[in-house]
Amino acid sequence: MTEFLKLVTPDDALKIISGRLKTLVTTEIINTAEALGRIVAGDIISPENLPSFNRSTMDGYAVRASDTYGASEGLPAYLRVSGEMPMGKPAPLVVRQGEAVKVHTGGMVAEGADSVVMMENTQIADGTTIEITKPLAPGENTLRIGDDIKEGVRLFLRGHILRPQDIGGLTALGITSVAVYKKPLVGIISAGDEVVPPHVNPTSGQVRDINTYTISNLVRQYGGIPVSYGLLKDDEITLHKVAESSIKQAEILVISSGSSVSTRDITARVIASLGEPGVLVHGISLRPGKPTIIAFIGDKPVFGLPGNPVSAVVVFELFVRPTMYRAGGCMQIPRQPEVYARLTHNIASTTGREDYVPVIIKESNGQYLATPVFGESNLITTLVQADGWVRVPLDKHGLNTGESVSVRLF
């Protein structure tokens, strides 16, 4: 297998993945306070109204709006203050015609009142009377029962990723535990005769392991649990044994192999031998990342990533990341942050191939500028220096200086 199989476009590769991919993880119940970034395993329905009582949104006086009609600074409405609503406690106060009850922001609106006049629109006439200098509409400066969330409404659909504000909404409703999908286990195998662990001083011809640690932390960043199966030599028998064991434990397997054609052949043969349907993609019209392998063993996706670190990261972001979310129960893959910027240099490309080029973002005169970081795919510093990627579409020869481009931020 020294030649690539038929190259597919990145979009077609994603379609091949999505056509076979399903949720691979089971569910668990966890504390809501610890559920940030987790994917809910079922629709969440509100068990009650929020707020559960009529609340004031201002410091002022709870009144009947009809008592303020026609009020102005020249002809104020006069209301008798009959009491004050305490914070955090119910009080048997009732607002009758011609009366007002003092209330604080977030406090309960007394029975009988339908609006709150802001403190700055009132003046004290005497010890028990206030002047109101502005008319109110019913409901003004108040939240009524259920205005925020109504009992029985669907808060979140299955597959939603919980954000900080979502956690706040759940705790506001007294939902202290939530059913979520377990984090997918992503097995990681790195192979290469020339690769040594980070603590080893490499001799001539050797390089320290980059991909195991980069990929592991990409897995963590996107909500998975990395499981490293070690740094292997380019030995087909050993690689097969470890891969066969890891695919039984992990939901997704990522193999980062060396850059030589012979090493890629070993990886492709090993993946193909793990089971059906086997290798579905071997080669993508992509730079960097052309020698990528995409396979399924039963329902489990397997990726053969190029050994060069830039290629490995590009392929991970494009294909492994969305696979992790889908396999982990997410219904809609979260968008990565993007900014628009003007290129400071030309980027050359070739039609029929999708290029991803690291760029540095700087702000100048109110606009963003994107400066390409040119370098080979085995230079990790091209990523260390960069803030994001610029994509060159399949049908373009390149991008020109001054052109407005979308930058996908790291």
Side-chain angles (χ1 to χ4, degrees):
M1 194 180 294
T2 58
E3 298 292 334
F4 291 117
L5 304 181
K6 181 180 178 182
L7 293 179
V8 302
T9 67
D11 282 347
D12 286 341
L14 284 171
K15 289 176 183 176
I16 290 170
I17 295 170
S18 63
R20 291 184 174 273
L21 194 57
K22 59 180 66 175
T23 299
L24 299 176
V25 293
T26 56
T27 64
E28 60 182 346
I29 305 294
I30 65 171
N31 191 321
T32 299
E34 300 171 354
L36 180 64
R38 301 299 296 272
I39 301 170
V40 298
D43 294 358
I44 299 180
I45 308 299
S46 173
E48 59 187 57
N49 288 313
L50 187 69
S52 59
F53 57 90
N54 298 331
R55 300 179 67 185
S56 173
T57 62
M58 298 286 176
D59 289 340
Y61 294 89
V63 300
R64 297 185 178 207
S66 58
D67 285 340
T68 70
Y69 293 165
S72 66
E73 291 188 4
L75 189 63
Y78 290 89
L79 298 180
R80 185 177 69 85
V81 179
S82 60
E84 179 177 349
M85 291 294 287
M87 290 294 291
K89 296 179 181 179
L93 295 177
V94 177
V95 175
R96 297 179 175 83
Q97 186 174 3
E99 292 183 343
V101 169
K102 191 174 184 180
V103 65
H104 304 281
T105 301
M108 180 181 290
V109 174
E111 185 180 344
D114 60 8
S115 57
V116 171
V117 59
M118 294 167 51
M119 190 69 72
E120 48 264 48
N121 292 327
T122 67
Q123 295 182 23
I124 297 175
D126 58 41
T128 59
T129 306
I130 59 169
E131 298 177 356
I132 296 176
T133 59
K134 184 178 179 180
L136 296 170
E140 192 167 343
N141 299 325
T142 65
L143 284 176
R144 314 304 289 181
I145 293 173
D147 273 357
D148 195 355
I149 300 172
K150 286 186 169 51
E151 180 181 355
V153 303
R154 184 180 288 107
L155 291 174
F156 306 114
L157 294 172
R158 177 177 65 87
H160 175 76
I161 300 175
L162 291 171
R163 304 164 298 171
Q165 59 267 41
D166 301 333
I167 304 297
L170 292 172
T171 56
L173 292 165
I175 300 175
T176 58
S177 62
V178 61
V180 298
Y181 287 109
K182 291 183 178 179
K183 294 182 177 184
L185 295 178
V186 180
I188 301 168
I189 299 173
S190 291
D193 289 337
E194 76 282 15
V195 185
V196 296
H199 65 273
V200 173
N201 289 323
T203 60
S204 180
Q206 293 182 326
V207 294
R208 290 190 177 96
D209 184 12
I210 295 174
N211 288 352
T212 297
Y213 303 93
T214 305
I215 294 168
S216 293
N217 284 286
L218 284 168
V219 169
R220 291 189 184 95
Q221 180 171 306
Y222 297 129
I225 299 174
V227 182
S228 175
Y229 291 94
L231 181 58
L232 309 180
K233 297 298 182 183
D234 292 325
D235 177 76
E236 189 167 343
I237 295 175
T238 302
L239 182 57
H240 175 86
K241 182 179 179 180
V242 175
E244 187 175 46
S245 174
S246 63
I247 196 64
K248 294 177 182 178
Q249 178 186 7
E251 279 80 41
I252 301 167
L253 177 59
V254 176
I255 301 176
S256 171
S257 59
S259 301
S260 67
V261 172
S262 60
T263 301
R264 293 198 300 263
D265 285 349
I266 291 174
T267 303
R269 288 197 300 269
V270 166
I271 293 174
S273 70
L274 294 176
E276 296 294 334
V279 175
L280 304 177
V281 173
H282 188 192
I284 301 176
S285 49
L286 174 71
R287 188 180 72 170
K290 180 180 177 182
T292 297
I293 300 167
I294 299 174
F296 273 79
I297 308 305
D299 292 330
K300 295 184 176 184
V302 179
F303 297 89
L305 270 55
N308 288 331
V310 178
S311 303
V313 172
V314 169
V315 173
F316 190 101
E317 292 281 356
L318 292 180
F319 305 111
V320 184
R321 174 183 180 270
T323 298
M324 283 180 55
Y325 279 117
R326 291 289 189 198
C330 182
M331 296 295 105
Q332 184 169 351
I333 309 304
R335 289 176 59 95
Q336 291 180 296
E338 293 180 293
V339 297
Y340 283 91
R342 294 199 176 277
L343 279 178
T344 62
H345 295 77
N346 292 337
I347 295 177
S349 184
T350 301
T351 56
R353 182 186 69 201
E354 198 168 283
D355 282 26
Y356 282 81
V357 179
V359 295
I360 297 170
I361 296 293
K362 290 186 178 180
E363 190 173 2
S364 177
N365 297 323
Q367 69 173 352
Y368 288 116
L369 301 178
T371 300
V373 182
F374 296 113
E376 298 299 324
S377 59
N378 59 355
L379 302 178
I380 188 63
T381 54
T382 62
L383 295 182
V384 173
Q385 295 171 8
D387 300 303
W389 311 99
V390 167
R391 170 181 168 270
V392 183
L394 285 163
D395 58 352
K396 299 197 70 169
H397 285 285
L399 301 173
N400 298 318
T401 300
E403 189 170 344
S404 179
V405 294
S406 174
V407 180
R408 182 185 297 180
L409 300 176
F410 293 143

